[in-house]
Every structure is written in C-alpha cells, then in structure tokens.
C-alpha cells in the first residue's frame, strides 16, 4: 500500500485525506522535513499559496521537498498547490518551489464569488466528464515542452498539466466524490 503524504500546514488537508482514504491508500500528514522520509508520493493541497509557501520556509521544508521531488517523488499540486509547484508566477509573490516548468496566474478567473464548476475531459481518464470545481483558481499561462496538458477549459486555457511524475490541477478533485484523478 503506498503511503501518500499531504503537506498539512494550511489548506484543505482534511478533504484530501478523506478522498485518499476512500481509495484505501495509507495517508500521512507532512509538517516537518522528517515526515517526508516515509512517503511514496506527495500532495500539496488547495488553500492559500502565500501562506503555504511562508510556512514551507518557516518549517525548513523547501529544500527537502525540492530534493525529493527532483529525485522522482510523485507529486500533485491542487489549486494553491499548482502555484507552489510552478517555475514562474505572474504575481511577484509568493516565491514558488520551481518544480514544474509552468508559468501560473493566480486568481485567473476572478475572486471567490467568481468560483465555478465545469465538466472537463481529462487525458487518461475514461468515462463521463470530470466535474471540475474551481475556487479562486489559478490558470497555466505558459509552459515548456516538458509539460503535457491533460485538460483545458473551453477557451483553451490549460487546467491540468503533467511533467514526468508531477501533476498540477487548477481545480479541486478532492471536493467531489469522483476518485478518478
Ligand atoms: N487563490 C489561491 C491562491 O492564490 C488558491 C485558491 C485555492 O487553492 N482554491 O493561493
């Protein structure tokens, strides 16, 4: 059974945990550098990217996350997690971990009140469309050819991207009952 770590310093950690428990993988919460030693994968949850990055630096997690992910740890960033993984942001803050070759625009669809849901077709996920929940969501506005787009909105904006074993989604699969992502 793989042990999936959730970076548990801010954001919707509980929702990710419940979603992982539904698919019966072991889950552990990552708050300190040593917690990363025993995980087989890492999720950086949705939340507030400026706070998450501040706490990553406060708890000395930046280098260890970068080292483990660069060494091949499968990693998924949801929403704020996408922002944390980016190489570049259109905003000056926060200072992302630069683990995916993407440029990301925070709050690309507007404020909280502009949150929305959209049916998505995601490469690699068969069957009915996936219900994408977008909450003050970021969008990918640039990427290198190392990055593969897995899903786009109807206007063409990428909202799910993959680079080797790293995945980033603008939307929140953990807030649905659909475990496919
Ligand atoms: N807008 C948030 C940010 O910039 C992300 C929102 C979310 O994770 N739902 O960090």
């Amino acid at each position: 059974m793989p042990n999936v770590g959730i970076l548990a310093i801010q954001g919707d950690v509980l929702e990710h945990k419940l979603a992982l428990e539904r698919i019966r993988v072991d889950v552990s919460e990552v708050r300190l550098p040593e917690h990363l030693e025993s995980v087989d994968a890492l999720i950086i949850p949705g939340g507030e990217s400026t706070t998450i990055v501040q706490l990553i630096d406060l708890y000395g997690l930046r280098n260890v996350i970068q080292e483990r992910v660069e060494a091949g740890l499968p990693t998924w960033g949801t929403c704020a997690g996408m922002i944390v993984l980016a190489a570049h942001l259109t905003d000056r803050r926060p200072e992302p971990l630069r683990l995916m070759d993407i440029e990301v625009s925070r709050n690309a669809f507007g404020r909280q009140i502009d949150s929305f849901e959209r049916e998505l077709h995601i490469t690699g996920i068969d069957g009915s469309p996936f219900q994408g929940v977008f909450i003050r969501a970021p969008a990918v506005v640039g990427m290198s050819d190392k990055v593969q787009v897995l899903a786009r909105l109807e206007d063409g904006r990428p909202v799910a991207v993959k680079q080797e074993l790293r995945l980033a989604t603008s939307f929140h699969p953990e807030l649905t009952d659909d475990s496919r992502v």
Side-chain angles (χ1 to χ4, degrees):
M1 195 74 87
N3 178 5
V4 180
I6 305 172
L7 184 67
I9 49 182
Q10 196 272 334
D12 73 338
V13 176
L14 178 63
E15 287 77 2
H16 275 288
K17 198 171 171 185
L18 296 172
L20 290 172
E21 284 170 358
R22 280 205 310 272
I23 57 166
R24 299 182 197 288
V25 293
D26 290 336
V27 183
S28 59
E29 297 188 3
V30 173
R31 293 198 177 80
L32 295 170
E34 55 265 35
H35 298 162
L36 269 176
E37 285 162 20
S38 56
V39 304
D40 304 305
L42 178 67
I43 290 177
I44 303 181
E48 191 54 46
S49 56
T50 45
T51 310
I52 293 174
V53 169
Q54 258 174 25
L55 294 173
I56 283 175
D57 288 329
L58 187 68
Y59 294 118
L61 286 159
R62 181 179 287 265
N63 290 344
V64 276
I65 294 176
Q66 284 169 329
E67 281 164 17
R68 287 254 12 227
V69 175
E70 274 158 9
L73 184 72
T75 302
W76 170 20
T78 308
C79 200
M82 169 190 268
I83 298 165
V84 174
L85 289 175
H88 303 286
L89 303 179
T90 54
D91 280 11
R92 294 225 322 248
R93 275 158 40 91
E95 181 68 37
L97 296 191
R98 305 190 197 286
L99 287 166
M100 291 185 74
D101 249 357
I102 50 175
E103 180 173 15
V104 171
S105 167
R106 297 176 62 201
N107 306 319
F109 304 95
R111 297 155 29 138
Q112 190 83 8
I113 196 166
D114 303 308
S115 298
F116 61 96
E117 296 191 17
R118 204 65 95 241
E119 289 190 340
L120 301 170
H121 296 278
I122 304 176
T123 303
I125 294 184
D126 296 330
S128 52
F130 193 90
Q131 194 68 15
V133 178
F134 294 81
I135 304 170
R136 282 201 303 131
V140 178
V141 295
M143 70 187 82
S144 81
D145 56 12
K146 293 184 194 145
V147 179
Q148 182 193 352
V149 177
L150 299 181
R152 295 179 187 275
L153 287 176
E154 57 274 25
D155 65 7
R157 280 193 271 190
V159 290
V161 290
K162 178 177 180 282
Q163 178 178 349
E164 296 163 0
L165 296 179
R166 304 165 204 176
L167 172 71
T169 56
S170 302
F171 51 95
H172 288 270
E174 77 284 6
L175 297 183
T176 70
D177 293 332
D178 190 335
S179 302
R180 290 177 294 170
V181 173

